[in-house]
mmCIF file of all heavy atoms in Angstrom:
data_model
loop_
_atom_site.group_PDB
_atom_site.id
_atom_site.type_symbol
_atom_site.label_atom_id
_atom_site.label_comp_id
_atom_site.label_asym_id
_atom_site.label_seq_id
_atom_site.Cartn_x
_atom_site.Cartn_y
_atom_site.Cartn_z
ATOM 1 N N ASP T 87 6.097 -5.795 -17.040
ATOM 2 C CA ASP T 87 7.288 -5.607 -17.815
ATOM 3 C C ASP T 87 7.250 -4.405 -18.731
ATOM 4 O O ASP T 87 6.834 -4.529 -19.846
ATOM 5 C CB ASP T 87 7.775 -6.833 -18.627
ATOM 6 C CG ASP T 87 9.146 -6.790 -19.089
ATOM 7 O OD1 ASP T 87 9.632 -5.657 -19.489
ATOM 8 O OD2 ASP T 87 9.855 -7.786 -19.303
ATOM 9 N N CYS T 88 7.498 -3.218 -18.227
ATOM 10 C CA CYS T 88 7.310 -2.001 -18.866
ATOM 11 C C CYS T 88 8.233 -1.794 -20.050
ATOM 12 O O CYS T 88 7.824 -1.293 -21.046
ATOM 13 C CB CYS T 88 7.463 -0.772 -17.899
ATOM 14 S SG CYS T 88 5.978 -0.568 -16.803
ATOM 15 N N ALA T 89 9.407 -2.365 -19.954
ATOM 16 C CA ALA T 89 10.328 -2.347 -21.033
ATOM 17 C C ALA T 89 9.782 -3.139 -22.259
ATOM 18 O O ALA T 89 9.828 -2.548 -23.393
ATOM 19 C CB ALA T 89 11.747 -2.774 -20.609
ATOM 20 N N ALA T 90 9.332 -4.192 -22.030
ATOM 21 C CA ALA T 90 8.715 -5.030 -23.119
ATOM 22 C C ALA T 90 7.496 -4.245 -23.713
ATOM 23 O O ALA T 90 7.341 -4.238 -24.903
ATOM 24 C CB ALA T 90 8.219 -6.382 -22.607
ATOM 25 N N CYS T 91 6.654 -3.656 -22.754
ATOM 26 C CA CYS T 91 5.527 -2.865 -23.455
ATOM 27 C C CYS T 91 5.894 -1.781 -24.197
ATOM 28 O O CYS T 91 5.433 -1.612 -25.391
ATOM 29 C CB CYS T 91 4.680 -2.423 -22.197
ATOM 30 S SG CYS T 91 3.772 -3.697 -21.296
ATOM 31 N N SER T 92 6.927 -1.045 -23.870
ATOM 32 C CA SER T 92 7.432 0.142 -24.681
ATOM 33 C C SER T 92 8.008 -0.476 -26.002
ATOM 34 O O SER T 92 7.748 0.141 -27.067
ATOM 35 C CB SER T 92 8.613 0.836 -23.937
ATOM 36 O OG SER T 92 8.113 1.309 -22.731
ATOM 37 N N GLU T 93 8.723 -1.546 -25.945
ATOM 38 C CA GLU T 93 9.335 -2.100 -27.186
ATOM 39 C C GLU T 93 8.308 -2.544 -28.254
ATOM 40 O O GLU T 93 8.374 -2.552 -29.411
ATOM 41 C CB GLU T 93 10.082 -3.305 -26.929
ATOM 42 C CG GLU T 93 11.485 -2.929 -26.247
ATOM 43 C CD GLU T 93 12.239 -4.076 -25.700
ATOM 44 O OE1 GLU T 93 12.050 -5.188 -26.190
ATOM 45 O OE2 GLU T 93 13.066 -3.916 -24.806
ATOM 46 N N CYS T 94 7.076 -2.958 -27.587
ATOM 47 C CA CYS T 94 5.918 -3.492 -28.508
ATOM 48 C C CYS T 94 4.849 -2.418 -28.739
ATOM 49 O O CYS T 94 3.837 -2.607 -29.296
ATOM 50 C CB CYS T 94 5.287 -4.619 -27.756
ATOM 51 S SG CYS T 94 6.356 -6.130 -27.675
ATOM 52 N N GLY T 95 5.096 -1.090 -28.185
ATOM 53 C CA GLY T 95 4.183 -0.017 -28.549
ATOM 54 C C GLY T 95 2.892 -0.050 -27.695
ATOM 55 O O GLY T 95 1.952 0.460 -28.077
ATOM 56 N N VAL T 96 3.064 -0.701 -26.473
ATOM 57 C CA VAL T 96 1.896 -0.711 -25.509
ATOM 58 C C VAL T 96 2.126 0.228 -24.478
ATOM 59 O O VAL T 96 3.123 0.302 -23.832
ATOM 60 C CB VAL T 96 1.830 -2.179 -24.921
ATOM 61 C CG1 VAL T 96 0.610 -2.227 -23.854
ATOM 62 C CG2 VAL T 96 1.528 -3.189 -26.048
ATOM 63 N N MET T 97 1.121 1.161 -24.341
ATOM 64 C CA MET T 97 1.173 2.050 -23.275
ATOM 65 C C MET T 97 0.771 1.475 -21.970
ATOM 66 O O MET T 97 -0.234 0.599 -21.999
ATOM 67 C CB MET T 97 0.249 3.391 -23.568
ATOM 68 C CG MET T 97 0.857 4.199 -24.670
ATOM 69 S SD MET T 97 -0.103 5.653 -24.841
ATOM 70 C CE MET T 97 0.680 6.393 -26.357
ATOM 71 N N VAL T 98 1.350 1.871 -20.818
ATOM 72 C CA VAL T 98 0.884 1.469 -19.341
ATOM 73 C C VAL T 98 0.401 2.744 -18.661
ATOM 74 O O VAL T 98 1.196 3.665 -18.575
ATOM 75 C CB VAL T 98 1.969 0.789 -18.634
ATOM 76 C CG1 VAL T 98 1.612 0.269 -17.239
ATOM 77 C CG2 VAL T 98 2.506 -0.345 -19.524
ATOM 78 N N ALA T 99 -0.807 2.716 -18.285
ATOM 79 C CA ALA T 99 -1.369 3.926 -17.551
ATOM 80 C C ALA T 99 -1.552 3.404 -16.082
ATOM 81 O O ALA T 99 -2.423 2.416 -15.886
ATOM 82 C CB ALA T 99 -2.620 4.369 -18.200
ATOM 83 N N ASN T 100 -1.291 4.195 -15.008
ATOM 84 C CA ASN T 100 -1.571 3.816 -13.777
ATOM 85 C C ASN T 100 -2.493 4.857 -13.161
ATOM 86 O O ASN T 100 -3.059 5.861 -13.836
ATOM 87 C CB ASN T 100 -0.291 3.750 -12.812
ATOM 88 C CG ASN T 100 0.285 5.239 -12.550
ATOM 89 O OD1 ASN T 100 0.085 6.186 -13.083
ATOM 90 N ND2 ASN T 100 1.078 5.323 -11.569
ATOM 91 N N VAL T 101 -2.847 4.695 -11.892
ATOM 92 C CA VAL T 101 -3.855 5.709 -11.189
ATOM 93 C C VAL T 101 -3.030 6.175 -10.012
ATOM 94 O O VAL T 101 -2.904 5.578 -9.093
ATOM 95 C CB VAL T 101 -5.169 4.792 -10.756
ATOM 96 C CG1 VAL T 101 -6.104 5.707 -10.118
ATOM 97 C CG2 VAL T 101 -5.797 4.156 -12.018
ATOM 98 N N PRO T 102 -2.551 7.377 -10.148
ATOM 99 C CA PRO T 102 -1.817 7.969 -9.096
ATOM 100 C C PRO T 102 -2.742 8.608 -8.173
ATOM 101 O O PRO T 102 -3.814 9.174 -8.524
ATOM 102 C CB PRO T 102 -0.887 8.981 -9.906
ATOM 103 C CG PRO T 102 -1.713 9.421 -10.975
ATOM 104 C CD PRO T 102 -2.493 8.108 -11.404
ATOM 105 N N SER T 103 -2.221 8.774 -6.835
ATOM 106 C CA SER T 103 -2.820 9.709 -5.882
ATOM 107 C C SER T 103 -4.324 9.513 -5.656
ATOM 108 O O SER T 103 -5.114 10.477 -5.474
ATOM 109 C CB SER T 103 -2.583 11.150 -6.318
ATOM 110 O OG SER T 103 -1.216 11.408 -6.489
ATOM 111 N N TYR T 104 -4.846 8.262 -5.642
ATOM 112 C CA TYR T 104 -6.223 8.132 -5.481
ATOM 113 C C TYR T 104 -6.415 7.651 -3.972
ATOM 114 O O TYR T 104 -7.544 7.658 -3.490
ATOM 115 C CB TYR T 104 -6.798 7.009 -6.325
ATOM 116 C CG TYR T 104 -6.340 5.559 -6.047
ATOM 117 C CD1 TYR T 104 -7.211 4.759 -5.301
ATOM 118 C CD2 TYR T 104 -5.148 5.069 -6.477
ATOM 119 C CE1 TYR T 104 -6.895 3.483 -4.973
ATOM 120 C CE2 TYR T 104 -4.801 3.832 -6.235
ATOM 121 C CZ TYR T 104 -5.582 2.986 -5.490
ATOM 122 O OH TYR T 104 -5.280 1.703 -5.239
ATOM 123 N N SER T 105 -5.532 7.087 -3.294
ATOM 124 C CA SER T 105 -5.740 6.347 -1.997
ATOM 125 C C SER T 105 -5.022 7.092 -0.775
ATOM 126 O O SER T 105 -4.923 6.449 0.254
ATOM 127 C CB SER T 105 -5.204 4.941 -2.106
ATOM 128 O OG SER T 105 -3.791 4.885 -2.319
ATOM 129 N N GLY T 106 -4.620 8.248 -0.948
ATOM 130 C CA GLY T 106 -3.761 8.862 0.045
ATOM 131 C C GLY T 106 -4.587 8.906 1.305
ATOM 132 O O GLY T 106 -4.023 8.666 2.442
ATOM 133 N N PHE T 107 -5.730 9.322 1.416
ATOM 134 C CA PHE T 107 -6.543 9.527 2.631
ATOM 135 C C PHE T 107 -6.683 8.184 3.282
ATOM 136 O O PHE T 107 -6.554 8.041 4.539
ATOM 137 C CB PHE T 107 -8.000 10.078 2.389
ATOM 138 C CG PHE T 107 -7.948 11.624 1.916
ATOM 139 C CD1 PHE T 107 -8.100 11.884 0.550
ATOM 140 C CD2 PHE T 107 -7.686 12.555 2.774
ATOM 141 C CE1 PHE T 107 -8.109 13.266 0.129
ATOM 142 C CE2 PHE T 107 -7.619 13.900 2.434
ATOM 143 C CZ PHE T 107 -7.830 14.271 1.202
ATOM 144 N N ALA T 108 -7.056 7.154 2.473
ATOM 145 C CA ALA T 108 -7.270 5.774 2.948
ATOM 146 C C ALA T 108 -6.057 5.129 3.618
ATOM 147 O O ALA T 108 -6.063 4.548 4.752
ATOM 148 C CB ALA T 108 -7.842 4.872 2.012
ATOM 149 N N VAL T 109 -4.886 5.348 2.966
ATOM 150 C CA VAL T 109 -3.767 4.765 3.545
ATOM 151 C C VAL T 109 -3.210 5.485 4.701
ATOM 152 O O VAL T 109 -2.750 4.857 5.750
ATOM 153 C CB VAL T 109 -2.569 4.787 2.426
ATOM 154 C CG1 VAL T 109 -1.306 4.131 2.961
ATOM 155 C CG2 VAL T 109 -3.024 3.873 1.173
#
Side-chain angles (χ1 to χ4, degrees):
D87 189 328
C88 286
C91 288
S92 298
E93 291 170 22
C94 294
V96 177
M97 293 185 182
V98 179
N100 76 337
V101 179
S103 303
Y104 75 96
S105 63
F107 292 105
V109 177

